Every structure is written in C-alpha cells, then in structure tokens.
Amino acid sequence: MMKRTGIERDAELERRTVKVGDWSVTAWRRLPEVDDGAPPVVCVHGAGISSRELRPLVAALGEHVPAWTVDLPGFGRSTKPPHPMGLPALADALAGWLAAEELPPACLAGCSFGCQLAVDVAVRYPERVGSLVLIGPTVDPMARSWPRLLAGWLRNSVREDPRMAPLNVADYRDAGLRQVLASFRAAMRDRVEDKLPHVSVPTLVVRGEFDRMVSQEWAEEVTRLTPSARLVIVPGMPHMIPFRGPEALMPIIREFAADA
C-alpha cells in the first residue's frame, strides 16, 4: 500500500514524504512556474550517500522542468530498514516511489551507483521510465575490485568540490556503516553490463572530462552496449558533476529529456 504522509518546504525545494510499502520515503522537488508538459527528471543518488549532493542539480533543473531527487530507504531522511537493502530491493523501492507520486514515465538521472539503480528500474519496470541519463556510470567490469575502486576514488577526490566532503560525512553517519558498506558491495556485485542491452528507452551517458572513477573506455562501452544511447563529455568536470557543475549539466539534461 502506498500513500502520501507529509509535505514540507525547505528554501527553494519542496520536501515530500510518501509511504512505499513498509518505508517512509522522502524526496525533494522543484517545479517550474510554467508547466509545459515536460517529463519529470528524477535524480538518483549513489552508494552510501543521499540526495544532498544532487539537490543543486534539482534546483537548477526545476526552473525549467519538474525535477526531483529521492532518498532511498536507508539513506538521508527516509526510513532506516532493520537490515541493509541490496540493489534489487532499492530499485523496487524507487519504482514504488514513482508509482506513489503518480509520476508519468520519468527521465531517471542516475549518478554513480544511481546509474545502476536507474538501469535496473528501466529494465524491470519499463512503464515507469521514459528515458535515462547515466552520469558517471559504475561499475567498470575491469575495475571490479576494492583496491581499484578505492584508488579511483582517491584520484578523483582531489578534483571534487571541497564543500561536498562534509555532506558525504553526514550521509555516511545517517546511513550507518552497515548500509554504506552494503551499498558499495551491491554496486560491485551488480553486472550492469548484462542489463544495458535490455534498456528500451533513449539513454544519455555523461562523463566528466576528469572523472577518475569512470574511464573513457568504460563510458564508451556503456554507450555501445545500450541501444539508443549517446555519450556526452562535460569539460573540466570530475565524477560528481551534479554538485560541482549543475549549471553545466542542467541544459544537457533538459535538452535530452525534451527530445526523448
């Protein structure tokens, strides 16, 4: 059973909480002043973190199109399950939230591990998804090991916006060590490369020029494996483009979602 449980406003974003199965799921949105019928863009966070790092992009997008970002169960302001949720359960919760909010087929904009969740929803719940944007898609099969993941994270971190670090710390604290580690394990185990050929919606793959967690070769392979996909490189950007450069990313997503 799914029903709305609360609505609040916080600065320029509206915070909404709905019931999805056993969980209360919180999301943030911004709606444009003029509704021209554009499909909603739903931003999906990565492993271990919440919607905090995606809200700058939602604020920028929401001036032009309906824009959302959601805290999946276990993260941010959403319910903390008694046991960590794996990728299929998180994807089920995301699909359930889309249904609870009664959104039309959305443009799912996943970031990092959020790309894997968005792909899973697009394959298993195609009626909920109109298009995909995969921002810094993980995980490269050639780097599917903890040492390589950590090395990429360390190399990339020097180019990220330093204001993001305290947000990451807050996210890890809120989620707890078990859920954070479980989300990284889920990312590592998920064979997204086997799912990409089954994506049936237009897809945009986005990579930052200086992303050290997602290689150019893997971004090109994601594009090749996914039907109806194209690749865009954002100059000067690291892995977390939604936080570092929302103004650069917003028009790219807006134009793609409208065309798709």
XYZ file of all heavy atoms in Angstrom, residues 105-106 118-132 134 194-204 225-229 256 260:
267
model
N 5.849 8.529 -17.014
C 7.186 7.974 -17.288
C 8.265 9.055 -17.204
O 8.211 10.062 -17.902
C 7.038 7.403 -18.706
C 5.587 7.029 -18.787
C 4.861 8.091 -18.012
N 9.215 8.828 -16.319
C 10.179 9.874 -15.959
C 11.505 9.672 -16.667
O 11.843 8.573 -17.124
C 10.397 9.876 -14.445
N 19.028 3.046 -11.739
C 18.166 3.538 -12.814
C 18.044 2.512 -13.929
O 16.952 2.287 -14.473
C 18.714 4.859 -13.352
N 19.149 1.865 -14.278
C 19.118 0.831 -15.314
C 18.249 -0.334 -14.872
O 17.443 -0.864 -15.651
C 20.553 0.361 -15.640
C 20.527 -0.929 -16.465
C 21.306 1.453 -16.395
N 18.385 -0.750 -13.622
C 17.588 -1.873 -13.123
C 16.097 -1.567 -13.182
O 15.296 -2.407 -13.592
C 18.002 -2.202 -11.684
C 17.551 -3.585 -11.244
O 18.154 -4.572 -11.691
O 16.565 -3.670 -10.483
N 15.716 -0.344 -12.798
C 14.307 0.043 -12.868
C 13.843 0.087 -14.319
O 12.746 -0.369 -14.651
C 14.090 1.410 -12.176
C 12.669 1.919 -12.427
C 14.339 1.287 -10.677
N 14.671 0.632 -15.215
C 14.286 0.732 -16.622
C 14.067 -0.637 -17.248
O 13.187 -0.805 -18.108
C 15.357 1.496 -17.400
N 14.836 -1.621 -16.821
C 14.707 -2.974 -17.382
C 13.521 -3.717 -16.772
O 12.761 -4.387 -17.481
C 16.013 -3.766 -17.164
C 15.828 -5.237 -17.538
C 17.145 -3.151 -17.992
N 13.318 -3.582 -15.458
C 12.272 -4.361 -14.788
C 10.938 -3.638 -14.677
O 9.900 -4.270 -14.491
C 12.754 -4.787 -13.399
C 13.941 -5.745 -13.442
C 14.141 -6.478 -12.146
N 14.559 -5.599 -11.065
C 13.888 -5.412 -9.936
N 12.733 -6.034 -9.730
N 14.363 -4.613 -8.995
N 10.967 -2.306 -14.755
C 9.732 -1.512 -14.678
C 9.696 -0.510 -15.837
O 9.664 0.705 -15.622
C 9.657 -0.753 -13.348
C 9.640 -1.630 -12.110
C 10.825 -1.949 -11.440
C 8.443 -2.117 -11.596
C 10.804 -2.745 -10.298
C 8.416 -2.903 -10.450
C 9.604 -3.214 -9.809
O 9.596 -3.990 -8.673
N 9.704 -0.985 -17.073
C 9.817 -0.065 -18.210
C 8.673 0.933 -18.311
O 8.844 2.010 -18.888
C 9.845 -1.012 -19.420
C 9.212 -2.285 -18.935
C 9.601 -2.397 -17.492
N 7.525 0.593 -17.739
C 6.393 1.517 -17.801
C 6.627 2.763 -16.961
O 5.913 3.769 -17.114
C 5.117 0.814 -17.347
C 5.007 0.514 -15.855
C 5.786 -0.720 -15.406
O 6.467 -1.342 -16.252
O 5.713 -1.066 -14.208
N 7.615 2.753 -16.054
C 7.883 3.888 -15.174
C 8.935 4.845 -15.745
O 9.153 5.921 -15.184
C 8.380 3.394 -13.807
C 7.381 2.557 -13.041
C 6.229 3.403 -12.572
N 5.155 2.606 -11.967
C 3.915 3.032 -11.833
N 3.588 4.241 -12.279
N 2.998 2.279 -11.283
N 9.597 4.458 -16.817
C 10.764 5.195 -17.292
C 10.581 5.614 -18.750
O 10.275 4.781 -19.604
C 12.043 4.342 -17.147
C 13.271 5.133 -17.582
C 12.195 3.855 -15.715
N 10.773 6.919 -19.012
C 10.702 7.419 -20.378
C 12.062 7.576 -21.020
O 12.206 7.486 -22.242
N 13.092 7.815 -20.196
C 14.457 7.967 -20.695
C 15.420 7.837 -19.525
O 15.014 7.874 -18.354
C 14.642 9.309 -21.404
O 14.383 10.387 -20.521
N 16.699 7.676 -19.844
C 17.739 7.535 -18.827
C 18.867 8.519 -19.086
O 19.262 8.750 -20.237
C 18.337 6.120 -18.846
C 17.530 4.944 -18.322
C 18.351 3.664 -18.470
C 17.122 5.151 -16.877
N 22.709 8.640 -17.532
C 23.658 7.908 -16.690
C 24.896 8.784 -16.509
O 25.730 8.911 -17.406
C 24.021 6.575 -17.345
C 22.831 5.673 -17.723
C 23.324 4.377 -18.375
C 21.962 5.374 -16.508
N 25.341 -6.639 -18.242
C 24.394 -7.628 -18.766
C 22.993 -7.033 -18.932
O 22.173 -7.585 -19.677
C 24.323 -8.832 -17.825
C 25.628 -9.609 -17.772
O 26.432 -9.488 -18.724
O 25.863 -10.316 -16.773
N 22.703 -5.949 -18.231
C 21.375 -5.332 -18.289
C 21.266 -4.265 -19.372
O 20.183 -4.044 -19.928
C 21.022 -4.706 -16.939
C 21.042 -5.665 -15.769
C 20.814 -4.918 -14.453
C 20.991 -5.825 -13.259
N 20.827 -5.091 -11.981
N 22.374 -3.590 -19.651
C 22.333 -2.460 -20.578
C 21.721 -2.804 -21.939
O 20.949 -2.005 -22.482
C 23.741 -1.879 -20.756
C 24.316 -1.180 -19.520
C 25.794 -0.856 -19.734
C 23.550 0.096 -19.198
N 22.014 -3.978 -22.524
C 21.413 -4.285 -23.829
C 19.895 -4.407 -23.786
O 19.246 -4.382 -24.842
C 22.060 -5.624 -24.207
C 23.340 -5.660 -23.446
C 23.024 -4.989 -22.148
N 19.317 -4.514 -22.586
C 17.860 -4.674 -22.463
C 17.155 -3.351 -22.158
O 15.932 -3.342 -21.973
C 17.555 -5.696 -21.366
C 18.163 -7.040 -21.617
N 17.684 -7.910 -22.569
C 19.244 -7.649 -21.049
C 18.423 -9.011 -22.585
N 19.377 -8.880 -21.674
N 17.895 -2.266 -22.119
C 17.285 -0.943 -21.912
C 16.578 -0.533 -23.201
O 17.187 -0.511 -24.272
C 18.351 0.095 -21.525
C 17.750 1.501 -21.522
C 18.945 -0.234 -20.163
N 15.309 -0.191 -23.089
C 14.498 0.084 -24.282
C 14.170 1.556 -24.472
O 13.387 1.896 -25.357
C 13.190 -0.719 -24.206
O 12.442 -0.355 -23.066
N 14.758 2.441 -23.659
C 14.434 3.873 -23.743
C 15.664 4.656 -24.183
O 16.805 4.193 -24.022
C 13.926 4.409 -22.391
C 12.614 3.720 -22.000
C 14.977 4.240 -21.297
N 15.465 5.854 -24.746
C 16.613 6.696 -25.102
C 17.491 6.949 -23.879
O 16.990 7.198 -22.781
C 15.957 7.992 -25.597
C 14.581 7.596 -26.020
C 14.181 6.491 -25.097
N 18.798 6.900 -24.091
C 19.741 6.987 -22.974
C 20.872 7.947 -23.309
O 21.415 7.920 -24.416
C 20.335 5.599 -22.651
O 19.267 4.696 -22.343
C 21.288 5.661 -21.474
N 21.217 8.785 -22.330
C 22.348 9.692 -22.445
C 23.387 9.294 -21.411
O 23.088 9.223 -20.216
C 21.905 11.137 -22.204
C 22.983 12.214 -22.384
C 23.388 12.334 -23.842
C 22.493 13.560 -21.846
N 26.900 -0.637 -25.480
C 26.036 -1.732 -25.042
C 24.566 -1.342 -24.975
O 23.694 -2.214 -25.036
C 26.484 -2.220 -23.657
C 27.790 -3.003 -23.579
C 28.196 -3.214 -22.121
C 27.651 -4.339 -24.294
N 24.292 -0.056 -24.825
C 22.926 0.410 -24.600
C 22.287 0.847 -25.907
O 22.787 1.768 -26.562
C 22.912 1.590 -23.609
O 23.667 1.241 -22.449
C 21.484 1.926 -23.198
N 21.187 0.222 -26.310
C 20.501 0.679 -27.518
C 20.058 2.136 -27.369
O 19.709 2.591 -26.273
C 19.289 -0.259 -27.618
C 19.661 -1.455 -26.801
C 20.533 -0.945 -25.698
N 20.081 2.875 -28.471
C 19.615 4.279 -28.487
C 20.333 5.131 -27.455
O 19.703 5.927 -26.735
C 18.098 4.341 -28.249
O 17.396 3.587 -29.204
N 21.646 4.962 -27.353
C 22.426 5.746 -26.383
C 23.449 6.607 -27.109
O 23.929 6.264 -28.191
C 23.132 4.831 -25.398
N 18.047 16.901 -23.593
C 17.877 15.477 -23.869
C 16.504 14.978 -23.466
O 15.832 14.271 -24.230
C 18.950 14.665 -23.137
C 18.694 13.191 -23.129
C 18.896 12.429 -24.256
C 18.194 12.573 -21.977
C 18.626 11.066 -24.260
C 17.921 11.215 -21.967
C 18.150 10.456 -23.116
N 13.827 13.300 -25.896
C 13.482 11.898 -25.672
C 11.980 11.732 -25.500
O 11.417 10.739 -25.939
C 14.234 11.375 -24.441
